[in-house]
Amino acid sequence: MNEEVAEAKYLVPVKQVEKSIKLTDESKNELKTIGMMDEKGKLKLKGVSPRMLRRMKLEAVDCPVLHSEVGFIQCYVCKNFHSRITGQVYCKGEPL
């Protein structure tokens, strides 16, 4: 069995949305703390091109930990995010 699948508790499909889902103030503060967002609120994800970032803003997942729909960027920077392969997110599922 693949190690990634063994470590991940949930396999969550990524879906396209019409309008980007806003980041919560809590997640914005977290992004600023770890240096992935500047003071003006512009995202600076290391290793992610501006074009890919634009696509990521129009994607969402039904988070099994928060029990709500969240934007993919919020999922991407979550400590439970393990990897994303072929439109599915491997989530560790640990409480936040």
Side-chain angles (χ1 to χ4, degrees), residues 66-84:
L66 299 175
H67 304 291
S68 65
E69 184 179 70
V70 297
F72 179 70
I73 292 174
Q74 186 173 345
C75 177
Y76 182 72
V77 297
C78 177
K79 70 175 187 167
N80 283 320
F81 179 83
H82 184 274
S83 62
R84 174 183 172 165

Side-chain angles (χ1 to χ4, degrees), residues 77-96:
V77 297
C78 177
K79 70 175 187 167
N80 283 320
F81 179 83
H82 184 274
S83 62
R84 174 183 172 165
I85 301 171
T86 61
Q88 294 183 323
V89 172
Y90 290 92
C91 176
K92 294 177 187 173
E94 298 169 1
L96 296 176

Side-chain angles (χ1 to χ4, degrees), residues 7-87:
E7 191 174 320
K9 187 174 180 181
Y10 297 105
L11 186 61
V12 187
V14 177
K15 57 187 176 183
Q16 298 293 318
V17 290
E18 291 289 319
K19 196 172 182 184
S20 65
I21 297 173
K22 301 290 182 201
L23 291 171
T24 62
D25 290 335
E26 193 176 282
S27 57
K28 282 183 183 179
N29 289 334
E30 181 71 25
L31 286 168
K32 286 178 183 176
T33 304
I34 57 177
M36 291 186 161
M37 182 179 273
D38 62 13
E39 293 304 314
K40 295 178 183 176
K42 188 167 174 92
L43 285 167
K44 300 282 184 186
L45 298 178
K46 196 171 191 172
V48 179
S49 70
R51 184 177 177 190
M52 180 59 81
L53 190 59
R54 203 168 33 251
R55 280 185 41 207
M56 288 167 66
K57 286 181 179 180
L58 294 175
E59 295 175 331
V61 295
D62 290 320
C63 180
V65 177
L66 299 175
H67 304 291
S68 65
E69 184 179 70
V70 297
F72 179 70
I73 292 174
Q74 186 173 345
C75 177
Y76 182 72
V77 297
C78 177
K79 70 175 187 167
N80 283 320
F81 179 83
H82 184 274
S83 62
R84 174 183 172 165
I85 301 171
T86 61

